[in-house]
Structure formats: C-alpha cells, structure tokens
Amino acid sequence: MTTGGATQTRRRGRPRSDRARRAILKAAEELLLAPSGDAVSMDAVAARAGVSKATIYRWWRSKETLTLDALYDEWATASRPRDTGSLRGDLLSLLRPWVELAGRRPYGPVIARLITEARTDPTFAEEYQARFVQPRREAGRAIFARSIERGELPPDTDVEVALDLLYGPLYHRLLHGHASFDDRFARDVVDTALAGILPRRE
Amino acid sequence: MTTGGATQTRRRGRPRSDRARRAILKAAEELLLAPSGDAVSMDAVAARAGVSKATIYRWWRSKETLTLDALYDEWATASRPRDTGSLRGDLLSLLRPWVELAGRRPYGPVIARLITEARTDPTFAEEYQARFVQPRREAGRAIFARSIERGELPPDTDVEVALDLLYGPLYHRLLHGHASFDDRFARDVVDTALAGILPRRE
Amino acid sequence: MTTGGATQTRRRGRPRSDRARRAILKAAEELLLAPSGDAVSMDAVAARAGVSKATIYRWWRSKETLTLDALYDEWATASRPRDTGSLRGDLLSLLRPWVELAGRRPYGPVIARLITEARTDPTFAEEYQARFVQPRREAGRAIFARSIERGELPPDTDVEVALDLLYGPLYHRLLHGHASFDDRFARDVVDTALAGILPRRE
Amino acid sequence: MTTGGATQTRRRGRPRSDRARRAILKAAEELLLAPSGDAVSMDAVAARAGVSKATIYRWWRSKETLTLDALYDEWATASRPRDTGSLRGDLLSLLRPWVELAGRRPYGPVIARLITEARTDPTFAEEYQARFVQPRREAGRAIFARSIERGELPPDTDVEVALDLLYGPLYHRLLHGHASFDDRFARDVVDTALAGILPRRE
DNA sequence: CGGTAATCGAGACGGTACGTCATGTCTTACA
DNA sequence: TGTAAGACATGACGTACCGTCTCGATTACCG
C-alpha cells in the first residue's frame, strides 16, 4: 500500500513527515476538483503542498496512484450499507450514499481519468479495482446473498449482471454527464432494475 | 465539420488531399488500437501516415477530435436497428450489433480517453455527444416511442432512465473490463432490464 | 536575373502581371523596413500584395533574392558620383549620397540579413555582390584610377585597402549601430582616411 | 549572466551540471562552425550534446544567446594588448591577435547572424555589445588615451572615428569576405589609418 | 552524545510530446 | 501560360510535464 499503514517495526532514520503526506493529498484533491478542470500536474501539486517532487514520488508511484489516494481520503467515508431486511432497502442504503458522495463534487472527469489509466496499466488497474470497485461490489454481493437466503430471490440469480444493472447506469451518468445524477435517479434505477421496465401483468 | 461533406461549389485552391485524410485516419485508428496500448502521439500518426503534423492540425483541432473521427470511421457502419414489432426485438437489434462492434477490438481505453476529454473540454463534449452518444440514444428513444404507441408500455414510461438501464451496464463493462462484454451479456441486460431482477409473482 | 528585363520576343500565354510585380516589391519593402522589425514572411508579403505565394516564387528564387530586389528598387536611385577634379571631392560625391540613403531608414538589420544569407549561400552571394557591393566599389576604383592618372596618388597605391578604409567604417556603424551614422561621419571618414592614403609631402 | 560566475553561497537544490554546460557549448560551437554552414538548430545541439532541449533553454534565453557564449568561450582567450610604448605597436598588439583568431575559422557567417539578431532584439544587442564589441573597443580607447598622454596625438583626436577606421575595415572583410582577411591586411589597415590619424610633421 | 540513516526542500536533469510557424512546392480553377 | 487560392511536406521552434537525480539540511534511532 502506498500510504503505509501501521508502522511495523519502527524504522531507522528520520520518520516520514505526516505533515507532508497530508499536504500532498490535500493539494492533489484540491487540484483534481478545481473548477478549471485542467489536469493536475505533479509540479503543481508539489508547489501547492510546499513539498518537493521527490517526496511525492517516494510515496506514490505515479500521478494516478496519488489521485487514487487523494480521492480515497474522501470516499472511504461513504457509509457502510445497513441490513434493512429487504433487498430494496439494502440496495438503497448501498447506493444512495454513494451517489450523494459522487455527486457532491465534479468527480466525473477524475474517475474517467482513473479508468483510462487502469485500462492502460494493469498494475494500476488492480489497485483501482481493489480500492474503488470491488469493496462496493462485494457489499452488493453480500446484499444479494442475504436476499437469496431469505428466499426473496431464486438461488440462480445472476448477481454479476444484477450488479452491473445497478452500478452501470450510475457510472454512465457520472461519466457522461448527459443527465442528472442525483438521489432520484438512484431510486429510479433501483426500482426499475428490481421490477423491470415492462409492466407486470396482473 | 472536420471531415467535410459535399463539395459545395468547388473551391479555388488546391483541393484537400483525400489520400492524406484517409492515411491519417487509418494511422490514428491503427495506433489507437495497437496492442501496446500506449497513447497515440501526433508525431507518430504523422510519421505513420506519411504526412506532416501541420496537415493534421489543419483539419483536426486536437488529438481527441482526430480520435473521434478515426473511431467514427468504423463505428458509423454499425447497422441501423430494424423494426421487429416487439420492444425486445427492437432493443436487441439496436444493442447487439453495437456490442459486437465495441467488443471486437480493445475500444475500452479509447472510449475512456474520449470521455475524459469530453469532461474537460465542453466544445469537445458536444462533438462527442453528437457523434457517439446521441444518435444511438435517439434510435433507442424511437424504439420506446413505437412500443408506447403499440400499447406495450405505458405512456408515462421514463425513457431516459430506461435507456441508461440498457446502455449503462454495457458501457460499465466496456470501460471497467471487470467482466465479459459479449452478446450473452447484451441479451442478459435487455432481458433483465425489461423484466426486472425480482421474479414475477405468478 | 530575377526581375526580368525586356520581353525579348513576346512570349506565348498570359503576359506577366506588372501590377503583381510592383505590389510584391512594395509589400516586401514595407515589411522589411517596418518599425516592428520582425522578419518578413513570404505569407505576409503575399497577403499584403494580394498575390499568391506561387507568383512570388515564380519570379524570385528565395526570400533573400526578393529582399535584394525590393531594396534595390530604392537604392538604385543613388546618384552617380561626379568627376569633381579632386580625389576628395570625388569620394565625397560617391559616399555622401550613399550614407544619406542608407541612413534614411533602418536598413542596418536588412543588410545584416543579406550578408548572413550571402555567407551561407554562394549563389546568393554572387547576386548580392553584383548588385550591392561591386557597382559602388567599381565606381570607387574609377575614382582612384583618375586620381592616380592625375598624379595625385602614386601608381602603387593599394586601392582595395583604400576602399575598405572608406567603406569599412561606414558599414561598421550601419551594421553595429554603436554610433551615429550621418553625413558628418562620412566626411570624417573620408578626411581621416585620405590623410593616410595621400602621400606625405616632403 | 548565463554562464554563471562564482558560486556565491551554495544554492539549495541540485547544482547545475557543468558537464552538461560544457557539452552544450562544445556542441553549439562545433555546429556553428561546421563546414556545411547550415544554421544550428536547438534540437541538433541538444542531440549532439546528449542533453535535453529544456536544459538548454533553462540557461540560455535563445539560440543567439547560446551562440554568444559558445563563441565567447574561444574568443575570450584573445590575448590582452601590451603596452609597447608606441601607438602603432599598441594597436598592432590589439588587432593582430584578434585578426588571427577571427580568421582561423569561418566566423564571418556566425558574426553576421549575431549582428542580425542584435539589430532585431535590443536586449540581445546589449549582451552582444557588452561581450564582443565594447571590451575590445575599450582596450582601443585606452591605447589612444596613452598615446595622447604621451603627446603622440593631439588631445582633440576623435577616438571613436579612429576606432571605426581600424575595426571597420576588418569587420568589413570578415563579413563580406570580398578580399583576404589576414595579418598583412591588419598591418595595412593600421599603417594607412595611422598615417591619417597621426598629425603631419611640419 | 556522536554516529548512522532515512527523510525532507529545492531544483536541475534527460526525455517525450505538444501545438505553432515559416519555407518552398504543389495542385486546382479561372483568366 | 499566368495567377489567386490554398493544401502540402519539412523541420525548427519554445513550452510543458514526466519521473529521476543530486545536493545540503533535518530529524530521528542507536550505540
């Protein structure tokens, strides 16, 4: 992991400056989401953080890895989904906070950049998946598993397709920006995906 | 328009070299989809096309605009959807050729790059939408309109959400590459979106 | 010669447009001596003359050749030296009009450019010499020859050195611009150089 | 100053690579005086020096400024004039080494290029004057001052004109190349000019 | 308390691509 | 055939980032 976690055995030498680490992440995040929208440059991040480029590259392999961390700082706070007892409730508790978070600021371009890089560099792709995609997808899988256990869904439900039917539309609007990306849309997606577009025959 | 359309009244000077235009588009397309995946460089396109950079910049404002045209050359051939008489049939005839085309080569990274640029440069966003997104979306709208006319769907159906429920999952896999992007998935998406994830009560 | 002289035998086809020729020379001359001082570009000359670049290149091999002609248009008017009966008078009648002409406008940079080109391209060097240097030098030689014939100067006078002693200082100030380039300087040069060239009376 | 002088107080960051600096100057000088005579290109200098273009532009504002330094590297070695006790001796000790140096290689076109640039860009003109013109001219002024002090020359001698009478012919041949530029010519110029400058014995 | 070692700031470096510009050639349609 | 329009290949320009590097200065620990 880039950011480093527990300080395993206490290393020799000067310890890492946490002030620098935080300044870098803050600067990166501010530049990423700047209204101007122009791409972040490492020189700019270094300058704004009052830090040397070498320090950044000591802890982050690339601009994209830094972007990942800068974003993750905020996104990790997305609330964990609750067990509401129903599939619909669980999914709403999974997706609505995520949509609220993703819509709060212009994340679209940033995510697009991350995806671009992920499709170019397989190593980065792994990090991206591990941090941004799989955790939420795994949470979704757990929800569907509970629903199947409850007998709400048949055991042969194709969960992967179901997840794409939920996350796909959300990412679609987040990235393309062709229509509103809000709580209402999140609810519409959940409801329509669960019930289907065609009306039920009574 | 960059590609130029009908030759209105025959201009005065030396006419545009169609040989150069085709060579540029071909070179761009080949480099875009090169297995190496490294980004296209304008110098590389110029060199491969046996053309000067100035000539490229005379006709395309930016690398992304060129990318758009290069891709469009292939994608414009995607077959028009047929009127099959049923919503499901129409949608399948809309989406399956598109999936077949998009999956034939590694378009994911390319599309990701276009989206990134679109979210950065509003002028480019318009071109991208007009060429790649709206035409297919419009075709989808026509399909839903026919279906409503036939009484298959209620008139208050939210078509925009429905379209996102169809295109969203497809783009999701195309861009993220987390699962297979194929004809089977296209059919699953259509069927599940139309019928819903939850089982019908009989 | 580039400009062409008498139309020998009446050529076939459309005759050369004299209007275009004059417009080109005028445009070139105006741009060359523009206060901005930025270099002339052939596109700019063509645009200002309302002429196509091809037309320029049909009649002038290069930008420098055109510059030569554009300048020559003005400089050819420099009055012929008169036979005043004395070496000093002859030289003053040779150099003072030339200095007056060369100082009237910012010719320094232009001449510098011509010299640069002449030292690079031997073909151009010949044209430059033939048009700008040798005629005046030849006039100088004639003056010295008359002076020797009159017995004013000994027959073994090194005329080439003498000419450089006269033209050298003038070109020096014209090109370097480190001190005033005016009629007074011309007279000073003639008087001082002459004092050294003329034999001492014993 | 671009070349840098004494290392004042030891700067913070990575120190300038002297290896790169020398390689750049050497490459520039080699290309400037290449027999081919084709103009130097910054790309060529960078390639030959094994250096990036950015590094060149970090230290030199323009191609001409670099040329100045590259040339100066060699020309700064021109011997200081000695006090020989006579005006003639002093001037010969000033001019002959300069002529020897300037004639050793094809400097004509290079100097012409510098002059052209100096007459276009006033900022560069100052640098050019300060480095190439004024030092030698100042040395000349000192020589004349000593001569006046000795009573060899009258106090109202126009030193500036005298200097132009000496340097003018030399530059004239150096730039125009119309006649031999050698030690003999230097002596001829000094002798002829001096005869005009020195007062007549009555 | 002095040595060892990893960190930090500053910033220069080689490299790659950018998008622009000027040169001189060329290919049309029109005169 | 000459000309206006203007596209073309060539190649240099100067700039912007990238990620690496080399300094001197700092800050811990460990002996």
Side-chain angles (χ1 to χ4, degrees):
Chain A
M1 181 46 49
T2 48
T3 320
T7 336
Q8 306 95 324
T9 41
R10 219 58 187 84
R11 310 256 295 282
R12 286 281 298 269
R14 175 175 179 172
R16 171 169 192 190
S17 156
D18 205 61
R19 190 209 128 273
R21 186 186 140 274
R22 275 199 305 267
I24 292 167
L25 288 172
K26 184 153 165 294
E29 186 246 309
E30 285 169 6
L31 290 172
L32 280 167
L33 301 173
S36 70
D38 48 351
V40 206
S41 93
M42 289 306 245
D43 289 83
V45 172
R48 173 180 268 257
V51 138
S52 104
K53 266 204 294 177
T55 301
I56 303 183
Y57 279 103
R58 181 180 302 280
W59 303 107
W60 290 277
R61 280 202 336 278
S62 68
K63 185 161 65 161
E64 283 72 29
T65 314
L66 171 58
T67 304
L68 215 56
D69 268 24
L71 237 59
Y72 193 66
D73 248 30
E74 283 191 277
W75 286 48
T77 68
S79 63
R80 311 259 72 201
R82 291 167 298 114
D83 184 345
T84 64
S86 79
L87 178 57
R88 184 170 182 279
D90 283 6
L91 289 178
L92 286 176
S93 90
L94 172 71
L95 297 176
R96 289 173 73 187
W98 184 83
V99 166
E100 200 277 325
L101 187 64
R104 204 183 297 159
R105 303 232 253 149
Y107 286 110
V110 184
I111 303 282
R113 221 135 35 199
L114 292 180
I115 292 173
T116 301
E117 180 62 15
R119 301 304 311 251
T120 299
D121 172 1
T123 309
F124 176 75
E126 262 179 68
E127 289 185 57
Y128 171 70
Q129 290 281 338
R131 298 262 226 122
F132 270 72
V133 180
Q134 289 311 334
R136 303 210 66 78
R137 227 174 148 84
E138 196 51 56
R141 282 191 200 99
I143 288 171
F144 277 102
R146 281 205 302 275
S147 182
I148 290 170
E149 212 164 310
R150 277 196 303 268
E152 218 174 353
L153 287 176
D156 64 343
T157 307
D158 192 330
V159 174
E160 294 306 311
V161 169
L163 285 170
D164 287 334
L165 224 66
L166 293 163
Y167 275 113
L170 299 180
Y171 269 103
H172 197 42
R173 288 209 175 172
L174 180 62
L175 292 175
H176 273 91
H178 58 282
S180 63
F181 179 82
D182 52 16
D183 191 73
R184 178 145 172 41
F185 180 60
R187 281 184 282 120
D188 283 351
V189 165
V190 169
D191 286 336
T192 316
L194 287 183
I197 295 164
L198 286 169
R200 309 261 151 166
R201 288 155 293 160
E202 250 98 353
Chain B
M1 178 50 50
T2 46
T3 319
T7 335
Q8 307 94 321
T9 39
R10 219 57 191 85
R11 308 257 302 283
R12 271 300 283 277
R14 174 176 180 172
R16 171 168 190 190
S17 157
D18 206 61
R19 190 210 130 272
R21 187 187 139 272
R22 274 201 304 269
I24 292 167
L25 288 173
K26 185 154 164 293
E29 185 246 309
E30 285 169 6
L31 290 172
L32 280 168
L33 301 172
S36 70
D38 50 351
V40 207
S41 95
M42 291 304 245
D43 289 85
V45 172
R48 174 179 269 256
V51 139
S52 100
K53 262 201 301 177
T55 300
I56 303 183
Y57 279 104
R58 182 184 303 279
W59 301 108
W60 290 276
R61 280 202 335 278
S62 67
K63 187 159 60 164
E64 284 71 29
T65 314
L66 170 58
T67 304
L68 212 57
D69 267 24
L71 236 61
Y72 193 67
D73 249 28
E74 282 191 278
W75 286 48
T77 67
S79 64
R80 310 261 73 202
R82 291 168 297 113
D83 185 345
T84 64
S86 79
L87 178 57
R88 182 171 183 279
D90 283 6
L91 289 178
L92 286 175
S93 92
L94 172 71
L95 297 176
R96 289 173 74 186
W98 184 83
V99 166
E100 200 277 324
L101 186 65
R104 203 185 296 158
R105 303 232 252 149
Y107 287 110
V110 184
I111 303 282
R113 220 134 37 198
L114 291 181
I115 292 173
T116 301
E117 181 62 15
R119 300 304 310 250
T120 297
D121 172 1
T123 308
F124 177 75
E126 260 178 68
E127 289 185 57
Y128 171 69
Q129 290 281 338
R131 296 265 224 120
F132 268 74
V133 180
Q134 290 310 335
R136 302 210 68 76
R137 227 174 147 84
E138 195 51 55
R141 282 190 200 101
I143 288 170
F144 277 103
R146 281 205 301 275
S147 182
I148 289 170
E149 213 164 312
R150 278 195 303 267
E152 215 174 355
L153 286 176
D156 64 343
T157 306
D158 192 332
V159 174
E160 294 307 310
V161 168
L163 285 171
D164 287 333
L165 225 66
L166 293 163
Y167 275 114
L170 298 178
Y171 268 104
H172 198 43
R173 288 208 175 174
L174 180 62
L175 292 174
H176 274 91
H178 58 280
S180 62
F181 179 83
D182 52 17
D183 192 73
R184 179 148 171 40
F185 180 61
R187 281 184 281 118
D188 283 352
V189 165
V190 168
D191 286 335
T192 316
L194 286 184
I197 295 163
L198 288 169
R200 307 262 154 167
R201 288 155 293 158
E202 249 98 354
Chain C
M1 183 45 48
T2 47
T3 320
T7 335
Q8 304 94 327
T9 42
R10 214 58 189 85
R11 310 256 293 280
R12 289 274 302 266
R14 173 175 178 173
R16 169 168 191 190
S17 155
D18 203 61
R19 190 211 129 272
R21 186 186 141 273
R22 274 200 306 269
I24 292 167
L25 288 173
K26 183 153 165 295
E29 186 246 309
E30 285 169 6
L31 290 172
L32 280 167
L33 300 173
S36 70
D38 50 351
V40 207
S41 94
M42 289 306 246
D43 289 84
V45 172
R48 174 180 268 257
V51 139
S52 101
K53 267 204 295 177
T55 302
I56 303 184
Y57 279 103
R58 179 179 304 279
W59 302 106
W60 290 276
R61 281 203 335 279
S62 66
K63 183 161 67 162
E64 283 72 29
T65 314
L66 171 58
T67 304
L68 216 56
D69 267 24
L71 237 60
Y72 194 67
D73 248 29
E74 282 191 278
W75 285 48
T77 67
S79 63
R80 311 259 71 200
R82 292 168 296 115
D83 185 345
T84 65
S86 78
L87 178 57
R88 182 170 182 277
D90 284 8
L91 290 177
L92 286 174
S93 91
L94 172 71
L95 297 176
R96 289 174 73 186
W98 184 84
V99 166
E100 201 277 325
L101 187 64
R104 205 184 296 158
R105 302 232 252 150
Y107 287 109
V110 185
I111 303 283
R113 221 135 35 199
L114 292 180
I115 292 173
T116 301
E117 181 62 16
R119 301 303 310 249
T120 298
D121 171 1
T123 309
F124 177 75
E126 260 178 69
E127 288 185 57
Y128 171 70
Q129 291 280 338
R131 296 264 224 122
F132 269 72
V133 181
Q134 290 310 334
R136 303 210 66 77
R137 225 174 150 84
E138 195 51 56
R141 281 191 200 100
I143 287 171
F144 277 102
R146 281 206 301 275
S147 182
I148 290 171
E149 212 164 312
R150 278 196 302 267
E152 219 175 351
L153 286 176
D156 64 343
T157 305
D158 193 331
V159 174
E160 293 307 310
V161 169
L163 286 170
D164 287 334
L165 225 64
L166 293 163
Y167 275 113
L170 299 179
Y171 269 103
H172 197 41
R173 289 208 175 172
L174 180 61
L175 292 174
H176 274 92
H178 57 281
S180 62
F181 179 83
D182 51 17
D183 192 71
R184 178 147 171 42
F185 180 60
R187 282 185 281 119
D188 283 352
V189 166
V190 168
D191 286 335
T192 317
L194 225 51
I197 295 161
L198 287 169
R200 309 257 154 167
R201 289 156 293 158
E202 250 100 354
Chain D
M1 178 50 50
T2 46
T3 321
T7 335
Q8 306 94 322
T9 40
R10 216 59 192 82
R11 307 260 300 284
R12 273 300 285 277
R14 175 176 178 172
R16 172 169 189 187
S17 157
D18 206 62
R19 189 209 131 274
R21 187 187 138 273
R22 275 200 304 269
I24 292 167
L25 288 173
K26 184 153 165 294
E29 186 247 308
E30 285 168 6
L31 291 172
L32 279 168
L33 301 171
S36 69
D38 50 351
V40 207
S41 96
M42 290 305 245
D43 288 85
V45 172
R48 174 179 268 255
V51 139
S52 101
K53 263 201 298 176
T55 300
I56 303 184
Y57 279 103
R58 181 184 304 280
W59 301 108
W60 289 276
R61 280 201 334 276
S62 67
K63 186 159 61 164
E64 283 72 28
T65 314
L66 171 58
T67 304
L68 214 57
D69 267 24
L71 237 60
Y72 193 68
D73 250 28
E74 282 190 279
W75 286 47
T77 68
S79 64
R80 310 260 71 200
R82 290 168 299 113
D83 185 345
T84 65
S86 79
L87 178 57
R88 182 170 184 277
D90 283 7
L91 289 178
L92 286 175
S93 91
L94 172 71
L95 297 176
R96 291 173 72 187
W98 183 83
V99 166
E100 200 277 324
L101 187 64
R104 205 184 294 158
R105 302 230 253 151
Y107 288 111
V110 184
I111 303 283
R113 220 133 37 197
L114 291 181
I115 291 172
T116 301
E117 180 62 16
R119 300 305 310 250
T120 298
D121 171 1
T123 308
F124 177 75
E126 260 178 70
E127 288 185 58
Y128 171 69
Q129 290 280 339
R131 297 265 224 119
F132 269 73
V133 180
Q134 289 311 335
R136 303 211 66 79
R137 231 177 144 81
E138 195 51 55
R141 281 190 201 101
I143 288 172
F144 277 102
R146 281 205 302 273
S147 182
I148 290 171
E149 211 164 313
R150 277 195 303 267
E152 218 174 351
L153 286 176
D156 64 342
T157 306
D158 193 331
V159 175
E160 294 307 310
V161 169
L163 286 170
D164 287 334
L165 224 66
L166 293 163
Y167 275 114
L170 300 179
Y171 269 104
H172 197 43
R173 288 208 176 173
L174 180 61
L175 292 175
H176 274 91
H178 57 280
S180 63
F181 179 82
D182 52 17
D183 191 72
R184 178 145 173 43
F185 181 60
R187 281 185 282 118
D188 283 352
V189 166
V190 168
D191 285 336
T192 317
L194 225 51
I197 295 163
L198 286 170
R200 309 257 153 169
R201 286 157 295 159
E202 250 100 352

